[in-house]
Amino acid sequence: MNIGITCYPTYGGSGIVATELGMELAARGHQVHFITYANPIRLDPGTPRIHYHEVEVSNYPLFQYPPYCLALSSRMADVAEAYALDLLHVHYAIPHSISAMLAQQMLAPKRRLPFITTLHGTDITLVGADPSYFSITKFSIERSDGVTAISDYLRQQTVDVFGISNQIRVIKNFVNCDLYHPDNSKSGAAAYSAVGEKLLIHLSNFRPVKRALDCVRILAEVRRKAPARLLMVGDGPDRGPAEHLARELKVDRHVLFLGKQDHVERIIPLAHVLLMPSDMESFGLVALEAMACGVVPVATRVGGVPELITDGEDGYLEAPGDIVAQATRVTALLTDDALHSRMAGAGRWNASERFCSEKIIPQYEQYYEDVVSARQMG
Ligand code: GMT
């Protein structure tokens, strides 16, 4: 198939899922055309059957807000025509879904161009529910030829919040289990912890919903009982406050802020525990990546996370903001090797049995076929 993919290329889990999906589809023989304003972060444009079409937005002085949505529609329609795209697949409803709908209408006199919208989380739970975006988000979902959500929780939220009656197919996040795998020797950890302290890791875009500061608080609590060091990967608004808090709690020597990293699959396996203390996660892709690497997640019981992590078996789930409970779980994992090894093994098993690319990508391929042949099913 010839598939057009649009996502936010520089930021967030939705862009990562879209990029990895495109690469997996290309590896399976599809022609994949990324239509975005920048090269997606994890995309290697040299990959066979991957094409990148940049959306340029000219900034005329009259435009206080450059009309990106329109430039994107125009590029989508041009690429769809030039490369005979079978469908557009947009990730994150706002504004990609509306742009796809306009591109579809531009081509309508010539041919059908179906589009699928994949809902990822904040496009529904935060941004979409904002009064200024509510109606347009609902409209764009209702006009999509196909809609997918990345967890049962998010599908239900979409129905509850927007009163949507179209069918939404759940296709969960996935991980490449060959790329993300355990490193039992963890010898590379020495580069981050010369004195042999076990590593905790947090990866996010440091938005408030991620509660990155809780990671610093958890580390301070854990260090009362067990030596440990924290790697903070990524960047965003709460990075500065987290650095400040680390100094205040006098653990700054034990927290490394690594900023954005291109190859997280090389860093995650060096850690023992992943911290994901979020207020909300509609799935929690980073926890899945950690589990595939044999790193045990200590996370919060929110949104779609319980669809991934089974509390006490392959990770722990606690209430958001409960630092003591999360720290207690981390300490147990750092001090009891048998416990850690059992849970790490269960996590790897869960990731590879339920969420590896081989299991999930065919679900997207099937859905594409259903939508292209207009046999949309729930
Ligand atoms: O929170 C992020 O990392 C970004 C956000 C997004 O919308 O781009 O991620 C969402 O999509 C991920 C991939 O499908 C999910 O795994 C995350 O749980 C989800 N984030 C939230 O719901 C807060």
Side-chain angles (χ1 to χ4, degrees), residues 11-15 17 92 119-123 125 150 173 205 207 209-210 280-286:
Y11 209 56
S14 57
V17 169
Y92 210 91
L119 308 171
H120 282 270
T122 51
D123 46 353
T125 55
I150 50 114
N173 282 176
N205 46 32
R207 285 179 300 158
V209 70
K210 301 292 181 182
M280 176 47 64
E281 287 293 342
S282 49
F283 183 87
L285 175 64
V286 72

Side-chain angles (χ1 to χ4, degrees), residues 254-273:
H254 309 286
V255 187
L256 297 180
F257 288 86
L258 302 181
K260 290 183 184 168
Q261 295 287 322
D262 283 339
H263 292 284
V264 295
E265 77 279 2
R266 295 177 192 163
I267 303 174
I268 297 172
L270 307 179
H272 274 71
V273 175

